[in-house]
Every structure is written in C-alpha cells, then in structure tokens.
Amino acid sequence: MPRVVFLPANVTVEVPEDETVLRAAMRAGLHINASCGGAGVCGKCRVFVEEGEVEGESLPEGGYKACTLHPRTDVVIRIPVESEVDRRALLRPLRRVATSWLEARGPHAFPHDPMVEKVFLELTPPSLEDNLADLPRLEMALTKAKALERLEVDWKLLKPLPHLLRQEDFRVTASLLREKLLRLEAGDTTDRLLALAVDVGTTTVCVELVDLLEGKVLEETSDYNPQISYGEDVISRIEFARREGGLGILHEKILDCLRRLCREVCQKRGIDPEEILFYSVAGNTVMSHFLLELEPRFLRETPYVPVTSRYPLVPAEELGLPGRGAMVHLAPCVASYVGGDITSGVVATGLAREEPLTLFIDIGTNGEIVVGNRDFLACASCSAGPAFEGGGIKHGMRATTGAIEAVHIDPNTLEPMIITIGNKKPKGICGSGIISLLANLFIEGIIDQSGKYRRDLKHPRLREGRDGWEYVLVWAKDSATGEDIVFTEADIDNLIRAKGAMFSGYQTLLESVGLEIGALERVILAGNFGSFLDLEQAIIIGLLPDLPRERFFFIGNSSLMGARLAAISKEAQEEMERVAGMMTHFELSAHPRFMDYYVSALFLPHTEIDLFPTVKKWLEEHGTLARR
Amino acid sequence: MPRVVFLPANVTVEVPEDETVLRAAMRAGLHINASCGGAGVCGKCRVFVEEGEVEGESLPEGGYKACTLHPRTDVVIRIPVESEVDRRALLRPLRRVATSWLEARGPHAFPHDPMVEKVFLELTPPSLEDNLADLPRLEMALTKAKALERLEVDWKLLKPLPHLLRQEDFRVTASLLREKLLRLEAGDTTDRLLALAVDVGTTTVCVELVDLLEGKVLEETSDYNPQISYGEDVISRIEFARREGGLGILHEKILDCLRRLCREVCQKRGIDPEEILFYSVAGNTVMSHFLLELEPRFLRETPYVPVTSRYPLVPAEELGLPGRGAMVHLAPCVASYVGGDITSGVVATGLAREEPLTLFIDIGTNGEIVVGNRDFLACASCSAGPAFEGGGIKHGMRATTGAIEAVHIDPNTLEPMIITIGNKKPKGICGSGIISLLANLFIEGIIDQSGKYRRDLKHPRLREGRDGWEYVLVWAKDSATGEDIVFTEADIDNLIRAKGAMFSGYQTLLESVGLEIGALERVILAGNFGSFLDLEQAIIIGLLPDLPRERFFFIGNSSLMGARLAAISKEAQEEMERVAGMMTHFELSAHPRFMDYYVSALFLPHTEIDLFPTVKKWLEEHGTLARR
C-alpha cells in the first residue's frame, strides 16, 4: 500500500488503492478546504506532489485536485498554505481529536452445518419380491441414511414422486430441513445448496445469495424498502396498515422487493431462483409482521403485544417466493420494538456465548440496545428516532451517493472540508456526516454545550436563516441541489435529543440489571453507518460512552450476518432461539430514573462532564471551551 | 311382531312391520309365483287371509296381492293351490335349502377418544407487566392444558390470531390434532365437534356426518362414484388417467362428489360444512390415488407399486373440501390391490385384536381377502371381477331400485318367485339375486355341476337365445324394460369363474400361511350384498366355504365403519397403522398351486365335493342331482 507523507504537517499515512488523497488527509486529521465533496468541480482542494507517481486531475494553475488524486507509489504531498490562517491550522493538525474509525469485527464463528441439507440416495428399484411402495422405500433409505426417527412429507410431494424416482433409475437427491422432506430431485444434485439471507430493514432491504456447501456469500444486493412510499417509519406504516387493504399492500410490496432482489442475485450468477432451498430472514418486529401479513396494530397499542415472537417456518411458495420446497425462516423477536434483527445481530456478535460484558447498539431508524454476555441478556429500545439516518434533519439524507459522510471544519477559517459518498456533488448530509459535523462544530466552539450557535462569531457561513440560526456547510454553487446545504439549530436539537435517548438508554438498561457504564468490557456497534462513524466524534457528542477506545467495535449489518449464519449453521439458528428466549426486555420509560437520565443527556457531551473524562480532559487541554 | 301362519304348509314366521307377506314367504322357504318383483302389477301372487287383520291390495277375484300385503295382527294366510303341480311344491317346502340370512355383526368397540379435540381456554389478557406475544401466550396455555411437548402452528393461523383472541376477551377454543393446532375460534365452541367418515368405493361413495362428542352418526348418504363415466372398474380408470388431463378429471370428479355429499349431510342437520374438523377416508389403493391425484400407472405395471402405502395428512382446504383447518386422513393401504378399504374393514371387525382365526372377505368390484387374528394377518386380492356386482352379467345390475335381489324357482313348475329392491318392476338382477338364482337353478337340477342348462328339460322359460342357452326369469310384459330378463350360460360361466377365483383365493392364502379352510373359526363378509346374501345359497354355489353356519357373519360396509372408528378413536386410527403394517400381502398367482385350486373350483359347488360336506349330504338326501 503506497504511503503518503503530508507536508508541512509531516504526517504519514498508508493509502489504499481506492482512497483519494483528500480522504487520506481527513483520515490523518489534516484539513484541506474542499467544498464539492470530492466531485472535482470546485478545485479548492489543490495539493502539490513533491515526490512519487500519482494519478488524478491536474489544475491549470499547477498542482492536483486532492479529491481526484490517487498515489501509485509512495509520495510526498504538500498542502499549500493559501493564507496565514491556513498556516496556523496546518501547523496544529492535532488540535482536533484524531480521526479514529471503529475497528471492524467479523461475525462469530459457528460450525458449518446448514439448516437444510441434501442427501443423495441410490434406492433399490422395486421388484415382485420387494414391491414396497415408493414413499416408504424412500423413507426407509432416508431415515436410515440420516438416522432420523421419522420423516415428515407434505402430500404434494407425492405427486411427482413416482416419476422422479424412475427418472434416473431410483437415484434421487432428497433435500431435508430437520425431519422434513422439502424437495426431491432425480439424480445427484448435491453439488448445489443455496440459501438467501435477508435483512428486512425499515429503510433498506439487503439480501445475500449464500452457497451453503461452502458457507460463503456468492452475491449480494440491496434496495430501499418499497414500503417507504407508505410511511418513512414503522409507526406511520402501522397507521397505513390500518386502512382498508393497507396491510395487504405493505405485505405485497416487501414480497415484490424480495422476489426482485432474489432474481437479481441469482441472475448475476446464472442460477435458477427455484434452486433456492432456504430463506433466512431477519427484520424488526414490524417488518416481520408485514412480511407475513400479520396484524401490526397491537404492536403500538399498550401493552405492545406482537402476534408472535417466534415465527413458524413458512413455505416459500405460500409467500410467492421462488425455490421448490424452500422454507422461510424468520428470526424470532423479543418484543414489539426489539425484533428479529436484534436477535440476529446478537447471534452474529457471539456476545451471548462469550464472557465479556458487552453493550450491543443498533442505531437504525430507531435505536435498540442489548447488554449482557453468555450468562444474561437484557434489551431495550430507545426512542431515538431517525435523526442518525438523516430523518428530521433539514438537509439530512440516507447514506447514498452524494451524501456528505465526513466533515472537517477548519478551526481558524471555519471553512469546511467535506467528503461525499461516491465523490459526487453534495446533496445532503447522512448519519456519519451529521455526527462528524456536530462534533466539529462543538470542538471548534462554534456551538455551545446546549447546541446553540455562538451568536458572537461573525462569519458568512454563520447566519440566521428562515429556520433560525444555521451553519452553511455547502454553498449553493457547489451543491448538487443548487441550494445552500445548511445545518440548523433545530437539527442540532433533534440530534441532541436522539443521542440523549440513546445514552440515557444505556444508563437505564444497565441500572435495570444492577450495572454501570464503566463495567462494560465491550461495545459493539451495528447498523449502516458503523463503518464511517468516527469513534472519537461519536464520543465527543455523547452518543457513545467515554470508555477505553479498544473496547469499541463495529460489526456492520449484523442482522444480515445473523440471518446468513442461521442458514449456514444449525447451531446459529438454535442460538437465535436461545438468545430470543433468554433476552429480558425492559421498557425504559417505565424506569423511575429514566427521565432524569434523559434530561441530563441533553447536553454536549453530557450534563455530568465527569461521565466523559477524556472529552473533559481534551477540552481542558485544547481550550476550545475557552473560545466561548 | 305379528306372526304369520302359512297354509297349507303350516309354516310360521314373524314378520317385521316393513316386510311384505311375499318376502316373509320367501324367507320361510315357501314359493309363491311372483313375476313383477313386488310391484303389484302381475297379480300372480294371490293369497287368502283366513284370520287376522291386514293391509294391502285386494284382487277383484278375491284374495290379496302378497307383494303388497302387511299383517297388522297375527294372521293365517293360505297360499292357493292353483294346480296339482303347485300343490306338490307347497307340500314340500323344505325341498330347497332353508333360506338363511347372515348374522349381522357390529363394529369392534374402540374407546371414545377422537382424533381431533377442542380445548376451551381462558387466557390472561396481556398487560404491561405480562406482555408476552399472542402466540406464545396461547401456546403456553395449550401445551399446559393438554400436556403437550410442543405445538405445531401453521403460519396462516397467525393472521386471524390477534383478532380471535380479543373478540371474546381472550376466551378461545383451540382445535387440535395431536400436537397440531388446526383451528382457533373466539369463545367456547366445544359443544360442536364434527367429522365426515367417507368410504370411496370404485362404484359407490358413502359418507357419514359424525358427531365426535357423542361418537355417533348424525346423517349418512351415498352416491355413485362419478368416475364411473370414465370406466367401470379400476383398470379402465387407470387407463383413462394416462390420457392428457385424465388423472386431473378423475381427481376433480371424486372431490366434487365428496363436496356435494358433504353439503348434503350438513344441510340435513342445518350444520355449516365449515364446522367439519376431520375427514376420515377409506378407499382402495386406486381410489386413494385418484383422491390425491397421485400417478396410478405403476399400480398396474409389474411390480405393482403404489406411490405410497401410508398417506400424509392432507389439509382439507388444499383439496377444496370445506372445514376450516380440517385435516383429511386416508386409511393406509397394503398393496396395489389391497387398499385402505380393507385395512379399515379389518379394523372395524376387530379381528386383529381377537384370538379366533378369521377369514375376512370383501366382495366388491373385486374380491379382497384377509386371514388372521391378533397374531398375524395375511391378505390377497382375488381376480374375481365384478360379476357379483352385476358386471359382465347380461342383465346384471347394481343393487338399486328394480334390481331382483332374491329368487325362488318352483321345482315343479320352474316358475320363479322374485323380489326386487323397492318392490318395483324388475330391471335386472343384482348380486344377491344372481347368487340366489344360480343356487336355485343348481338345486333344482336345472343346470348341472359345470353350470350348463339341462337340454332335456322342456319348458318355455328354458330356451336357446341369441347368446346361447338361457332361463327366462321375467317375461317382457312383467319387466320394467319391456324385454325378457334372462340368465345365460355365459353369465353362469362368469359367475363360476368369479366364485372359483374367490374360493381358490381362500385356499391359496390359507396354504401360504400353513393353514386349511377347516381351521377357520370365523368368516366375516363385508360389502354391499352381505345383508341380502343367503348364506346357504352362497355355500351351495361354492362362493363361501362349507363351515358350520354359526361361524359366519356379515358386517356391511366395514370400510366406512373403520373410517368412522378412526375419526372417533385414536386407538382405532393407530390400529389402522398397525394392521397395515402387520399385514403380509400374497400375490396369489405367484403360488405354485393356485392354478390347480382355481381349476378345481370351476364346478358347482366344487370338483372336490368332499370340501362341501353339507351340500353333498343335502344333494344326496334330496336327490336333486338324480334329476340329471
């Protein structure tokens, strides 16, 4: 991997092939003015290559656009000092908390022993001396081969049975799920065994085509949950479901989506979707209800009761999903707002099999948390809302192309350095960008601890807009929308309430089981923005607790991982059942101290600054608070 | 019950209310000329009432038509002596073997413990302190109430679950089949528990609406199997099934018929067919295959292999049969030509639970036999063909209105006395009539031991017709068809081959298990004509073995009885499985002595007359054989 030495700060970083110099600089904690998100249009991010070979767009006035630049060998790059103000910034690269991405953690290792299996049988053809009927002939061979006590056979399998047996002279392949015969094929088809792992999120649906023989993902794809048209969040969709025919529409929309994604991954590999033998689905309780067209109404009416917490296996055919004889498994849920996605996620982390006391955090459209280890599990949902997915934020957006995913603000010029997903002109700000921006505004003393803009700072980017005070992150000329991209005090307020709900959630849940935050030996972050989340920034704003950094991990889409594991490993599927069974759900709002915790958390990072010792120390040392 | 003294023979019989004097006379072994089958049109059956009160049609020339006459008190009836020939006949009433109907035997008593059950549950409604989901709430209560290890719930039951639970404040009735939840209803519905018992015969379909709470039949009905239009016997239907779409047609026809009969019995009782919770079906292997649309082709191709011998439970809904959540149980079969009707029949007799060595005979479209007791069971099918159902007999017909069901021939005048079903003008001859006629012809020496008409007997009723020699049983003027009803030598030949197939079947099967006919402690006759069958006549023609008469019983439609028992009693259903499992099937034609036995049986009653000692003795004593 090429190394880049940034001058004049003399900071060295390794740069992966697909990373631009702009991104590498941000990762290194170095500021380069950059307004267009890496689209290469503003030309502000000029750098000079002093040594080594590079690829990228050069500028007529000399130098290269950092946002397009890739080193091909070890290089030395000078960030130009455009002004004295810039110089001050460059000479103080560590004034801000060092950018630190979360360490990625892979899924827990479960034994490779898929839920479904294929058995090739060479039966003795019947004769006058041995004219046992077809089914018992198959049954005897199969129960013997797999040491089964009995074989469960749906009557519909009887129709093709005699023909399949005789097609290749009584050489057949039987597909089993436990003691249930799912499919019968002529000849030997044991070289193919496929499953689809599915994460049905409120916003996004992700699928993986899994080769169960190898236990590996062949293809993956994802798309927005088409139910979004009927409501952004689960509550509005439950409301929609109450209308005449509404539930049916939501049910069909998600199935349509699954069928489409399934076809897509199969097509990429030239696989007939009818080959799929198992669907392993994880989704929150509401999504699971919609998937099976179950009444969601009582999920949001006290006492918040799901139709079921464990779902029976469903024949794929009955849901109109492809796969002859395939069965659909849904991850069990714990409560109305702690669903199969969490159960699945906990399985993926393996935390319920290990000793360290772990906090599992899934920040999606809502926030769900689990605390525990192999001995106990407690969970709760935090009413955090969708702020971290861009919901309720004026220019918030989902983490797609054109979303600002990382921000740095020059402490002297207050000019931003932004990076967008896909290096496109910015359209809005997604979760990780929002956290990044909030942390920067706070660190640089542009907002105070209660999230208000400092009225005394005179700067064109700080102004009173239609929605109150705001910071202009991108000027209209540089944005994809042709409008200023701003970050309002109302946005900040929403974010503080969201992070407050999360933090007070950790406190309340831990107290419910007689523990404190300091006792946490590990924090695992699941969800979409984990990979882009700057750990220090998340701690600075008080979204994550101020614990030793080596205790933090991110695992990505653990719901999908768990779904995949449940397909690949019977033990993982059993672990799902066990996790769902041992998880104690706490209704946070019912806890007497919850409101106190919540109100105290409505501060940056927290009213009790001693809960955030490293943030306190940094603020003291760097004097940012003194700017106020 | 009124008693009738017949003069001049001075024979007394008791006459049930619904029996005519004509029938009573035949039962008493007395001849009255009667040509119109009891329709009251020929007026030949004149009798005089000398004492007592009667109801019936009087004749202008005095006396009454015996075929319409019912005694209301004890009566004395004189049969007029129309000629000297008649007188001789009347004075020798015992010249023929006394008419002896078979003793009826009821089904075996199994404990009342239906396959399906209803459980009324009063669940604790959920609260914030106890917000278990709906399904596990139900599950816990149900598994506890019935001490179940687990509960199997189809996902489709989840849809209505939350509404049903809340409809009557969490008071619900669950319907179970073993550990499977079939249906859920709001409130207490345990006062209704209904099943449909079904016998799917090749010719006739019989159903009973069964109240499982009381274990009794509420209604019954039957109809022809509509598949008859596509073939009279199983072989021709299997052939039809091989045509494009043929199997589907046969499948739909029988289901249509079941739906119609089901509606019919329910309507009679004002019951919603959707209340039905269980279908217990018994049918031969071919009928069972058609019912489930299973490939019948290999049933008739060597080595004669059914698709299955035990049928999985089938959701009624998937067969388009009414009954929310109802399941369809099919009696297990033993081989291609020993089906669930036989398994069911054996269960109904209870012979597999008792000590006496029993021969079970089911003469339907084909003949199936079972020999055994509680220790062993052996079975076989005899290629008897449909002769005893009227098939292959020139004027043969099924046992419906207008069929001649009993015949007596005056030994002197050779004039017949006939009785038809429904006392209508005769249309043809059914099974019991055929046996009756054949026995009479033989006893009276009108045919010889090989079944040929005596050419030397000059009588208008004996003639050479288009199809060879024949006896005119009914003249055209007295028949419903306006044609002579005759009985040809070809008919007799068919019957002798049919009874020969049966008798050699008994011998071969018994020899296969190391036994002889004399060892039989009991003979149970199943099938339609058992109740009309004259035991002595059946023995005389060699259809039944010549054993002490008290060893014979008839049980009627044992297939239907067994189906009903399997619905009413888990033990009976388990007995079905056990019977099917312990039954050894013998392919008679594979036995080295079968052909010898068969050829020897092509004689009346048998080539080895010593096998029929009482027939031999009677013939010697009454000298009928001497007529030849």
Side-chain angles (χ1 to χ4, degrees):
Chain A
M1 210 183 287
R3 296 196 309 166
V4 176
V5 179
F6 285 107
L7 297 178
N10 199 25
V11 172
T12 306
V13 285
E14 292 197 327
V15 182
E17 202 179 330
D18 60 348
E19 194 174 75
T20 61
V21 167
L22 186 69
R23 262 175 209 270
M26 180 169 279
R27 198 155 49 80
L30 295 165
H31 186 89
I32 300 176
N33 282 343
S35 300
C36 72
V41 291
C42 72
K44 285 192 186 164
C45 58
R46 181 161 68 147
V47 293
F48 297 95
V49 179
E50 302 206 336
E51 276 176 39
E53 293 172 24
V54 295
E55 236 178 78
E57 266 182 71
S58 58
L59 287 160
E61 63 271 30
Y64 287 86
K65 293 180 190 170
C67 69
T68 67
L69 199 63
H70 293 275
R72 288 293 164 248
T73 61
D74 286 357
V75 291
V76 176
I77 284 172
R78 177 171 297 275
I79 301 173
V81 183
E82 311 279 358
S83 68
E84 259 318 291
V85 182
D86 281 354
R87 174 177 297 276
R88 279 200 353 245
L90 283 168
L91 292 175
R92 290 172 56 197
L94 296 177
R95 189 184 175 276
R96 62 187 288 268
V97 173
T99 302
S100 75
W101 269 263
L102 277 164
E103 188 184 330
R105 183 185 156 90
H108 185 80
F110 282 91
H112 179 237
D113 177 20
M115 283 293 285
V116 288
E117 57 186 324
K118 281 188 175 180
V119 190
F120 175 56
L121 298 165
E122 299 187 88
L123 306 177
T124 313
S127 60
L128 276 175
E129 293 68 43
D130 163 24
N131 63 356
L132 195 64
D134 287 348
L135 178 62
R137 180 173 303 273
L138 175 71
E139 246 167 4
M140 276 179 65
L142 203 46
T143 49
K144 192 177 160 204
K146 301 305 298 179
L148 302 176
E149 279 184 22
R150 58 190 207 102
L151 184 71
E152 199 184 316
V153 181
D154 191 282
W155 76 283
K156 290 192 214 84
L157 286 174
L158 294 178
K159 293 190 197 186
L161 177 63
H163 304 289
L164 285 171
L165 288 182
R166 285 161 184 81
Q167 197 171 318
E168 299 214 11
D169 197 27
F170 286 81
R171 295 164 69 254
V172 287
T173 302
S175 298
L176 290 176
L177 190 155
R178 296 191 198 112
E179 293 179 327
K180 190 172 170 65
L181 181 65
L182 299 183
R183 181 192 296 175
L184 197 70
E185 292 164 298
D188 186 353
T189 69
T190 53
D191 60 339
R192 304 187 291 278
L193 192 63
L194 295 162
L196 204 77
V198 182
D199 166 48
V200 182
T202 305
T203 304
T204 312
V205 179
C206 305
V207 309
E208 289 176 344
L209 180 64
V210 184
D211 174 356
L212 294 178
L213 294 176
E214 300 286 331
K216 69 177 189 199
V217 178
L218 296 179
E219 288 293 341
E220 52 191 322
T221 189
S222 65
D223 198 357
Y224 286 116
N225 186 329
Q227 295 172 341
I228 286 174
S229 327
Y230 305 94
E232 289 266 329
D233 53 34
V234 294
I235 299 299
S236 52
R237 285 188 218 165
I238 291 175
E239 280 308 305
F240 179 80
R242 295 194 63 166
R243 292 195 210 168
E244 181 75 27
L247 178 55
I249 290 173
L250 295 174
H251 171 67
E252 268 312 313
K253 283 285 163 187
I254 184 62
L255 284 176
D256 275 350
C257 174
L258 286 188
R259 287 174 206 130
R260 188 163 37 78
L261 295 180
C262 177
R263 273 200 307 275
E264 186 184 322
V265 287
C266 286
Q267 227 158 28
K268 280 188 200 166
R269 284 272 168 166
I271 285 167
D272 177 1
E274 289 299 330
E275 289 274 353
I276 291 171
L277 197 57
F278 192 69
Y279 286 82
S280 183
V281 181
N284 64 47
T285 309
V286 181
M287 292 306 115
S288 300
H289 275 53
F290 288 153
L291 187 68
L292 300 188
E293 206 175 355
L294 304 183
E295 176 61 74
R297 180 176 146 192
F298 304 105
L299 292 174
R300 67 162 305 208
E301 289 179 6
T302 174
Y304 315 111
V305 175
V307 174
T308 188
S309 43
R310 300 192 185 192
Y311 304 90
L313 286 168
V314 179
E317 191 191 358
E318 297 182 6
L319 292 176
L321 293 172
R324 269 167 296 123
M327 295 300 278
V328 180
H329 177 272
L330 273 80
C333 70
V334 177
S336 285
Y337 294 108
V338 179
D341 51 344
I342 301 306
T343 313
S344 186
V346 168
V347 169
T349 63
L351 78 86
R353 322 193 116 207
E354 292 165 0
E355 201 154 0
L357 181 72
T358 304
L359 176 66
F360 172 85
I361 306 172
D362 188 352
I363 302 178
T365 310
N366 224 327
E368 290 98 23
I369 53 178
V370 179
V371 69
N373 61 9
R374 67 185 178 198
D375 298 322
F376 81 98
L377 290 172
C379 67
S381 71
C382 307
S383 306
F388 297 113
E389 284 198 327
I393 304 298
K394 187 167 181 178
H395 287 116
M397 66 178 283
R398 293 189 204 102
T400 52
T401 305
I404 297 166
E405 59 170 336
V407 176
H408 182 222
I409 295 174
D410 186 294
N412 303 296
T413 63
L414 301 194
E415 283 300 310
M417 166 188 189
I418 62 166
I419 288 178
T420 60
I421 296 177
N423 296 339
K424 300 289 178 195
K425 273 186 139 186
K427 292 178 191 162
I429 324 171
C430 70
S432 57
I434 287 166
I435 291 169
S436 182
L437 178 55
L438 183 64
N440 268 273
L441 292 173
F442 175 58
I443 288 165
E444 305 307 349
I446 302 162
I447 57 173
D448 65 16
Q449 284 194 288
S450 59
K452 303 292 172 213
Y453 284 108
R454 280 187 53 189
R455 307 289 191 258
D456 58 326
L457 285 180
K458 303 295 174 214
H459 192 280
R461 289 189 184 262
L462 269 179
R463 68 185 187 196
E464 202 170 354
R466 265 180 304 173
D467 300 316
W469 280 84
E470 60 192 23
Y471 172 79
V472 183
L473 186 58
V474 182
W475 294 111
K477 65 177 171 62
D478 291 327
S479 82
T481 56
E483 284 177 30
D484 292 348
I485 295 174
V486 302
F487 193 55
T488 69
E489 272 186 0
D491 293 341
I492 297 171
D493 201 44
N494 269 340
L495 285 166
I496 289 178
R497 277 190 277 115
K499 74 94 190 173
M502 293 304 298
F503 195 82
S504 55
Y506 317 148
Q507 286 182 300
T508 311
L509 183 61
L510 282 162
E511 182 165 317
S512 300
V513 293
L515 293 168
E516 290 188 346
I517 282 178
L520 292 173
E521 293 168 88
R522 202 164 52 183
V523 178
I524 301 178
L525 211 73
N528 277 330
F529 64 67
S531 54
F532 301 105
L533 186 71
D534 185 309
L535 175 58
E536 292 300 333
Q537 292 174 349
I539 292 172
I540 282 169
I541 66 164
L543 172 61
L544 294 179
D546 190 354
L547 292 168
R549 305 314 188 242
E550 67 277 11
R551 297 190 192 173
F552 289 88
F553 301 88
F554 95 89
I555 189 165
N557 189 342
S558 57
S559 169
L560 182 61
M561 278 178 196
R564 184 206 313 150
L565 290 173
I568 293 172
S569 172
K570 282 178 193 157
E571 206 172 300
Q573 190 278 332
E574 285 158 16
E575 176 79 351
M576 260 188 193
E577 299 288 333
R578 193 181 73 95
V579 162
M582 76 186 274
M583 196 122 67
T584 309
H585 177 248
F586 288 90
E587 192 62 48
L588 295 179
S589 58
H591 193 281
R593 295 197 56 188
F594 174 73
M595 272 314 287
D596 290 343
Y597 284 139
Y598 176 62
V599 171
S600 298
L602 298 179
F603 223 61
L604 293 173
H606 198 276
T607 308
E608 296 176 49
I609 189 69
D610 290 332
L611 279 170
F612 288 79
T614 70
V615 179
K616 180 182 178 189
K617 186 156 168 272
W618 194 93
L619 292 172
E620 284 167 1
E621 281 175 9
H622 291 78
T624 308
L625 292 176
R627 190 196 271 230
R628 259 148 264 167
Chain B
M1 209 183 287
R3 296 197 308 165
V4 176
V5 180
F6 285 108
L7 296 178
N10 200 25
V11 173
T12 306
V13 285
E14 293 197 327
V15 181
E17 201 179 330
D18 60 349
E19 193 174 77
T20 62
V21 168
L22 186 69
R23 261 175 210 271
M26 179 168 279
R27 197 157 50 78
L30 294 165
H31 187 90
I32 299 175
N33 282 343
S35 299
C36 71
V41 290
C42 71
K44 284 193 186 163
C45 59
R46 182 162 66 148
V47 294
F48 297 97
V49 180
E50 302 206 338
E51 277 176 40
E53 292 172 25
V54 295
E55 237 177 78
E57 267 182 69
S58 59
L59 287 159
E61 63 271 29
Y64 287 87
K65 292 179 190 171
C67 69
T68 66
L69 199 63
H70 292 275
R72 287 295 165 246
T73 61
D74 287 356
V75 291
V76 175
I77 284 172
R78 178 171 296 275
I79 301 174
V81 182
E82 310 280 358
S83 69
E84 259 318 294
V85 182
D86 281 356
R87 173 176 297 276
R88 280 199 352 247
L90 284 169
L91 292 176
R92 290 171 60 194
L94 295 177
R95 189 181 177 280
R96 63 187 285 269
V97 173
T99 302
S100 75
W101 269 265
L102 277 164
E103 188 183 330
R105 183 186 156 89
H108 185 81
F110 283 92
H112 179 236
D113 178 19
M115 283 292 285
V116 288
E117 58 186 324
K118 282 187 173 179
V119 189
F120 175 57
L121 299 164
E122 299 186 90
L123 306 177
T124 313
S127 60
L128 277 175
E129 292 68 45
D130 162 25
N131 63 356
L132 196 64
D134 288 347
L135 179 62
R137 181 173 303 272
L138 175 72
E139 245 166 5
M140 275 179 66
L142 203 46
T143 50
K144 192 178 159 203
K146 302 304 298 179
L148 302 176
E149 280 185 20
R150 57 189 207 103
L151 185 71
E152 199 184 316
V153 181
D154 190 284
W155 75 284
K156 291 192 213 84
L157 286 174
L158 295 177
K159 293 190 196 183
L161 177 64
H163 306 289
L164 285 171
L165 288 182
R166 285 159 184 83
Q167 198 171 316
E168 299 215 11
D169 198 26
F170 286 82
R171 296 164 67 253
V172 287
T173 301
S175 297
L176 290 176
L177 190 155
R178 296 191 198 112
E179 292 178 326
K180 188 172 170 67
L181 181 65
L182 300 183
R183 183 193 295 176
L184 198 69
E185 291 164 300
D188 187 352
T189 69
T190 53
D191 61 337
R192 300 187 293 279
L193 192 63
L194 294 162
L196 204 76
V198 182
D199 166 49
V200 182
T202 306
T203 304
T204 314
V205 179
C206 305
V207 309
E208 288 176 346
L209 180 64
V210 184
D211 174 357
L212 294 177
L213 294 175
E214 299 286 330
K216 70 177 188 200
V217 177
L218 295 178
E219 287 294 341
E220 52 191 322
T221 190
S222 64
D223 198 357
Y224 286 116
N225 186 330
Q227 295 172 341
I228 286 176
S229 326
Y230 306 93
E232 289 267 326
D233 54 31
V234 294
I235 299 298
S236 51
R237 285 187 218 165
I238 290 176
E239 280 308 304
F240 179 80
R242 295 193 63 167
R243 293 195 212 168
E244 181 75 27
L247 177 57
I249 291 173
L250 295 174
H251 172 66
E252 267 313 313
K253 282 286 161 186
I254 184 62
L255 285 176
D256 275 350
C257 174
L258 286 187
R259 286 174 205 129
R260 188 162 36 79
L261 295 180
C262 177
R263 273 200 308 274
E264 187 184 321
V265 288
C266 286
Q267 228 158 28
K268 280 188 199 166
R269 285 271 168 168
I271 285 168
D272 178 0
E274 290 297 330
E275 288 275 352
I276 291 171
L277 198 56
F278 193 70
Y279 286 81
S280 182
V281 181
N284 64 48
T285 309
V286 181
M287 292 306 113
S288 299
H289 274 53
F290 288 154
L291 188 68
L292 300 188
E293 207 176 353
L294 305 183
E295 176 61 74
R297 178 175 148 193
F298 303 105
L299 291 174
R300 68 161 305 208
E301 288 178 8
T302 174
Y304 314 113
V305 176
V307 174
T308 188
S309 43
R310 302 193 184 193
Y311 304 90
L313 286 167
V314 179
E317 192 191 358
E318 297 182 5
L319 291 176
L321 293 172
R324 270 167 297 120
M327 295 300 278
V328 181
H329 177 272
L330 273 80
C333 70
V334 177
S336 285
Y337 294 107
V338 178
D341 51 345
I342 301 304
T343 313
S344 188
V346 167
V347 169
T349 64
L351 77 86
R353 319 192 118 208
E354 291 165 0
E355 201 155 1
L357 181 71
T358 304
L359 176 66
F360 172 84
I361 306 173
D362 188 351
I363 302 178
T365 310
N366 225 325
E368 290 98 22
I369 54 178
V370 179
V371 68
N373 61 8
R374 65 186 180 197
D375 299 321
F376 80 99
L377 290 174
C379 67
S381 72
C382 307
S383 306
F388 297 112
E389 284 198 328
I393 305 297
K394 188 165 181 179
H395 288 115
M397 67 178 284
R398 292 189 205 101
T400 52
T401 306
I404 297 166
E405 60 169 336
V407 175
H408 183 222
I409 294 174
D410 185 292
N412 303 294
T413 63
L414 301 195
E415 283 300 311
M417 166 186 188
I418 62 165
I419 289 178
T420 61
I421 296 176
N423 296 337
K424 299 289 180 197
K425 273 187 139 184
K427 292 179 191 161
I429 324 171
C430 70
S432 57
I434 286 166
I435 291 168
S436 182
L437 177 54
L438 183 64
N440 268 272
L441 292 173
F442 176 58
I443 289 164
E444 304 307 348
I446 302 163
I447 56 173
D448 63 17
Q449 284 194 288
S450 60
K452 303 291 172 216
Y453 283 109
R454 278 187 53 191
R455 307 289 191 260
D456 59 328
L457 285 179
K458 301 296 175 214
H459 192 280
R461 287 189 184 262
L462 268 179
R463 67 185 187 194
E464 203 170 354
R466 263 181 306 174
D467 299 317
W469 281 82
E470 60 191 23
Y471 172 79
V472 184
L473 186 58
V474 181
W475 296 110
K477 68 179 171 58
D478 292 327
S479 82
T481 58
E483 286 177 27
D484 293 347
I485 295 175
V486 302
F487 192 56
T488 69
E489 270 186 2
D491 292 342
I492 296 171
D493 201 46
N494 268 340
L495 286 165
I496 289 179
R497 276 189 277 116
K499 74 95 190 172
M502 294 303 298
F503 195 83
S504 55
Y506 316 148
Q507 286 181 299
T508 310
L509 183 61
L510 281 162
E511 183 166 316
S512 300
V513 293
L515 293 169
E516 289 188 346
I517 282 178
L520 292 172
E521 294 169 87
R522 202 164 53 182
V523 177
I524 300 177
L525 211 74
N528 277 331
F529 65 69
S531 53
F532 300 105
L533 187 70
D534 185 307
L535 175 58
E536 292 299 334
Q537 293 174 348
I539 293 171
I540 281 169
I541 65 163
L543 174 61
L544 293 179
D546 191 353
L547 292 168
R549 307 313 190 242
E550 68 277 10
R551 298 189 191 173
F552 288 88
F553 301 89
F554 95 89
I555 189 165
N557 189 342
S558 56
S559 169
L560 183 60
M561 280 178 196
R564 184 205 314 149
L565 289 172
I568 294 172
S569 172
K570 282 178 194 158
E571 206 173 301
Q573 191 276 334
E574 284 158 15
E575 176 78 352
M576 260 188 194
E577 299 287 336
R578 194 181 71 96
V579 163
M582 76 186 272
M583 195 122 67
T584 310
H585 177 248
F586 288 89
E587 191 63 47
L588 295 180
S589 59
H591 193 281
R593 295 198 56 189
F594 174 71
M595 271 316 286
D596 290 343
Y597 283 139
Y598 176 61
V599 171
S600 299
L602 298 178
F603 225 59
L604 294 173
H606 199 275
T607 307
E608 295 176 50
I609 188 69
D610 288 333
L611 280 169
F612 287 79
T614 70
V615 179
K616 181 184 179 188
K617 184 155 169 274
W618 194 92
L619 291 172
E620 283 168 0
E621 280 174 11
H622 291 78
T624 308
L625 291 177
R627 189 194 269 229
R628 258 147 264 165

